[in-house]
Amino acid sequence: MAHLKSLVKDTAIYGLSSIIGRFLNYLLVPIYTAKISAASGGYGVITNVYAYVALLLVVLTYGMETAFFRFSNKEGEDPERVYSTTLMMVGCTSLLFVGLVFALISPISSFMGYADHPDYVWVMALTVAMDAFQCIPFAYLRYRKRPVKFAALKMLFIFLNIGLNLFFFVVCPRFTGTATDVGYAFYINLACTGIVMLCFYKELTGFRYVWDKALMKRMLAYSWPILVLGIAGILNQTADKILFPYIYQGSDAHAQLGIYGAASKIAMIMAMITQAFRFAYEPFVFGNAREKDSREMYGKAMKYFIVFTLLAFLCVVGYMDILRHIIGRDYWEGLQVVPIVMAAEIMMGVYFNLSFWYKLIDKTIWGAWFSGAGCMVLIVINIVFVPRYGYIACAWAGFAGYATAMLLSYAVGQKKYPISYPVKEIMVYVAIAALFFYAMTVANRLLPTYASLAVNTLLVALFAGYVLKKDFPLSQLPVIGKRFRK
């Protein structure tokens, strides 16, 4: 139980930087969607470029975060030697990537559809290279149990990013009278990433750099399947945004992509919760793998993750009439994708939790197969249905892709590394959430705004009340529980 309390504490701190940071970062969405019209396609450009960035970040880290945690916790391995070798590996590949981009900037820009704006490409290449390198010192902070500095650096980036975007997209146009170029968003990101890099001075100095070739080979043997599954996994999130301009049959591809990308941002609360849980869960799993009750803890952690993500799902759907104001009015037509994208994100989180069975037995190749299968489902659905149905097909493709990977991982995992997940209890929560979602959808469609909000608030309260009664009885809580035990 003490280990679970530690997981909750670390999740809360990592979640503070992740959830609050992402929430503050949402300020960029109303800024961009207010200053960049949907018809112009400018926000579609931002959505498209950042999709490439997300994919490249996975490629340039090539599973070294997970490999670092695995080898740092292995008996007989020197954690500092592991850290040094990992830093040098990721640093060298990031520098090589930047060199290749600058050498081939013209053909790369033309292929991506930005022949007139090669600066979009090289600026983001520099940014993603630094981001990839920073993943290792960020992982080191997590390994050293320093969530406060981790959170502080994440928040520093967010505040700098928001402040500079407000200045260039809101303040400057008022004085100059001209619209700000979309490319400013990429330059701002580069500047903020560079500043955060300077803050890692202590984590990058004060020790002897060692390149251990034998260790490098072992880490690469462990991590290459993670790279494959990472690519497949990120393609489940970004393939639609990368492929859309190529397969959509219309002259307004970037405009439609911008609507889809803006609406999907509302659903990203699931990504916040999943990311916060992941930051704490990865070192938690590897650090407690030798405990006798570890499998029981993994089962409970899965249940609590699903319960709270379902509660978040209902909150977003229930207060959609309020949350939709995050984006500009001309992007509202895309709100139909929000529940689909959120459900897909929940399954992605479940899949992430399930993935530890093959990481713990050093059989990461299974993850490559699962993620690859999910990715293939997603790509096929996009190619077949996007030309006819547009971005709504993108949302359903993501749902189907994550469902495929999740179900495959569970089925095989129960044979290779059985964990007693409380499936029946979880399915009861899923059934209740599905029923409440249907009721909220009807209320949002048929009732006035104030009435639907009242109904939805009641439903959220009922779900939360059931959770408290079933799994978190108030009588067991500290301080407040004393009153309920009387």
Side-chain angles (χ1 to χ4, degrees):
M1 198 66 186
H3 294 304
L4 281 175
K5 288 181 179 179
S6 175
L7 173 63
V8 171
K9 183 191 72 173
D10 287 352
T11 300
I13 298 176
Y14 291 126
L16 183 66
S17 63
S18 179
I19 295 177
I20 295 181
R22 286 286 189 94
F23 177 76
L24 291 174
N25 208 27
Y26 272 157
L27 290 175
L28 298 180
V29 179
I31 291 173
Y32 293 151
T33 56
K35 297 298 180 180
I36 305 171
S37 68
S40 71
Y43 193 72
V45 172
I46 293 176
T47 301
N48 181 246
V49 170
Y50 278 115
Y52 280 104
V53 167
L55 174 61
L56 287 169
L57 188 59
V58 172
V59 174
L60 292 175
T61 52
Y62 47 97
M64 281 297 109
E65 280 184 279
T66 302
F68 167 73
F69 282 117
R70 178 59 173 162
F71 282 80
S72 294
N73 286 283
K74 266 191 172 184
E75 291 185 8
E77 298 287 358
D78 179 4
E80 296 302 320
R81 196 178 190 87
V82 173
Y83 177 55
S84 172
T85 300
T86 308
L87 273 178
M88 295 177 73
M89 290 168 64
V90 177
C92 288
T93 50
S94 295
L95 287 173
L96 177 62
F97 166 74
V98 171
L100 288 173
V101 169
F102 273 91
L104 303 171
I105 188 65
S106 294
I108 291 175
S109 301
S110 297
F111 173 77
M112 294 176 62
Y114 303 116
D116 295 334
H117 295 282
D119 56 312
Y120 293 176
V121 178
W122 67 257
V123 168
M124 292 314 296
L126 284 173
T127 305
V128 74
M130 284 196 290
D131 275 336
F133 182 73
Q134 288 178 16
C135 284
I136 306 308
F138 268 123
Y140 184 71
L141 290 177
R142 291 158 58 198
Y143 169 76
R144 300 292 297 177
K145 304 291 186 183
R146 298 184 62 190
V148 174
K149 182 168 183 177
F150 181 100
L153 292 180
K154 292 290 185 180
M155 295 299 290
L156 172 64
F157 175 87
I158 293 296
F159 281 116
L160 285 172
N161 198 23
I162 292 174
L164 290 174
N165 272 283
L166 283 172
F167 179 76
F168 284 103
F169 279 90
V170 179
V171 177
C172 285
R174 291 184 178 180
F175 289 97
T176 63
T178 58
T180 304
D181 187 270
V182 170
Y184 277 48
F186 307 136
Y187 282 100
I188 290 169
N189 199 339
L190 175 61
C192 296
T193 303
I195 292 172
V196 171
M197 179 71 79
L198 297 176
C199 297
F200 278 119
Y201 176 78
K202 289 186 177 180
E203 284 71 32
L204 299 176
T205 59
F207 62 92
R208 182 170 172 264
Y209 278 84
V210 178
W211 182 282
D212 190 323
K213 291 184 180 180
L215 174 62
M216 178 192 71
K217 291 179 180 179
R218 295 199 304 272
M219 293 182 74
L220 287 174
Y222 177 84
S223 68
W224 77 260
I226 297 177
L227 169 61
V228 176
L229 73 89
I231 292 174
I234 200 64
L235 282 175
N236 278 321
Q237 301 178 48
T238 62
D240 51 356
K241 301 173 185 67
I242 293 173
L243 293 173
F244 194 88
Y246 298 104
I247 60 179
Y248 177 73
Q249 295 179 351
S251 58
D252 60 340
H254 278 102
Q256 290 295 303
L257 179 59
I259 292 171
Y260 172 57
S264 297
K265 287 293 185 181
I266 297 178
M268 285 301 103
I269 187 170
M270 291 303 168
M272 299 179 199
I273 295 173
T274 301
Q275 185 183 46
F277 193 83
R278 173 181 176 272
F279 284 146
Y281 198 55
E282 197 163 44
F284 167 80
V285 168
F286 287 125
N288 295 291
R290 301 186 188 92
E291 298 289 338
K292 293 182 179 180
D293 62 345
S294 60
R295 300 194 190 197
E296 181 183 352
M297 286 190 293
Y298 301 156
K300 289 181 179 179
M302 172 72 82
K303 175 184 174 181
Y304 296 143
F305 171 80
I306 293 175
V307 168
F308 286 113
T309 51
L310 288 175
L311 178 60
F313 176 89
L314 293 176
C315 287
V316 172
V317 174
Y319 298 104
M320 185 65 69
D321 286 341
I322 296 174
L323 294 174
R324 64 183 179 178
H325 292 284
I326 291 174
I327 61 179
R329 284 182 177 272
D330 50 344
Y331 292 85
W332 284 6
E333 67 178 77
L335 293 175
Q336 58 185 316
V337 306
V338 173
I340 306 170
V341 175
M342 282 195 299
E345 287 289 340
I346 292 176
M347 287 189 290
M348 188 271 282
V350 173
Y351 172 59
F352 172 79
N353 292 345
L354 290 170
S355 71
F356 278 96
W357 70 261
Y358 54 75
K359 293 179 181 177
L360 288 170
I361 63 174
D362 294 345
K363 297 293 184 180
T364 48
I365 187 63
W366 281 108
W369 286 112
F370 302 147
S371 294
C375 183
M376 288 302 298
V377 169
L378 178 144
I379 291 175
V380 169
I381 292 177
N382 270 282
I383 293 175
V384 173
F385 293 105
V386 164
R388 182 174 180 181
Y389 297 103
Y391 58 74
I392 191 69
C394 296
W396 281 114
F399 180 94
Y402 282 129
T404 300
M406 176 187 71
L407 293 174
L408 287 174
S409 183
Y410 176 77
V412 178
Q414 289 304 93
K415 295 179 180 179
K416 300 290 185 178
Y417 193 88
I419 295 175
S420 182
Y421 294 109
V423 177
K424 291 183 179 179
E425 296 177 33
I426 290 173
M427 293 311 298
V428 169
Y429 278 111
V430 172
I432 295 173
L435 177 63
F436 284 9
F437 165 69
Y438 176 76
M440 287 178 173
T441 302
V442 173
N444 289 341
R445 186 172 64 248
L446 301 180
L447 299 178
T449 300
Y450 68 89
S452 65
L453 286 175
V455 170
N456 295 343
T457 300
L458 175 61
L459 292 173
V460 169
L462 287 174
F463 188 85
Y466 179 79
V467 172
L468 288 173
K469 181 180 180 180
K470 183 70 176 177
D471 287 293
F472 296 94
L474 295 175
S475 61
Q476 295 183 13
L477 295 177
V479 184
I480 192 174
K482 294 180 180 179
R483 297 184 179 182
F484 289 88
R485 287 193 291 268
K486 292 181 179 180

